[in-house]
Amino acid sequence: KPDEVENFCKLVRYEIKRYKKIQAEADIGHQYINRRFRIMVKTSAGMYGWTARQIEKNPMIVFEKKVKPNKWYVILSALKYAIFS
């Protein structure tokens, strides 16, 4: 079992690394999105990034609880993107 857990963690971290690379490429295109929609896109991307960081720290967390940012973090992030986008 320890090898299976270690292999699972390696796989998850590998996939998160791939996600981050793809997201970095997508971020370049955000400037071309209408500001009204860009706020939503950047907020969503930010929440996916937050989730990925939490799972990257401890991949086994996905078996323990639902990994998602709390409501206030989402609201504050959206406000930040509304002001600075």
Side-chain angles (χ1 to χ4, degrees):
K1 295 276 183 182
D3 285 341
E4 292 173 359
V5 170
E6 185 178 332
N7 288 339
F8 174 77
C9 291
K10 283 181 183 179
L11 173 65
V12 169
R13 288 188 176 113
Y14 170 78
E15 292 298 339
I16 289 173
K17 185 177 177 180
R18 287 182 58 222
Y19 157 77
K20 287 179 176 181
K21 183 178 179 183
I22 292 166
Q23 187 59 54
E25 291 176 23
D27 289 345
I28 296 168
H30 287 174
Q31 63 184 322
Y32 301 108
I33 300 172
N34 177 292
R35 184 178 185 280
R36 178 175 159 201
F37 302 112
R38 185 171 53 231
I39 294 165
M40 292 180 277
V41 169
K42 290 181 87 167
T43 301
S44 296
M47 298 309 100
Y48 283 116
W50 180 92
T51 303
R53 288 189 300 277
Q54 302 312 303
I55 294 171
E56 186 176 32
K57 289 178 197 172
N58 174 18
M60 298 305 290
I61 197 170
V62 300
F63 296 111
E64 298 166 11
K65 64 181 185 176
K66 192 171 192 174
V67 182
K68 66 179 200 172
N70 70 46
K71 176 175 51 176
W72 291 108
Y73 184 78
V74 175
I75 291 169
L76 291 174
S77 294
L79 287 172
K80 177 182 83 172
Y81 293 121
I83 294 168
F84 297 109
S85 287

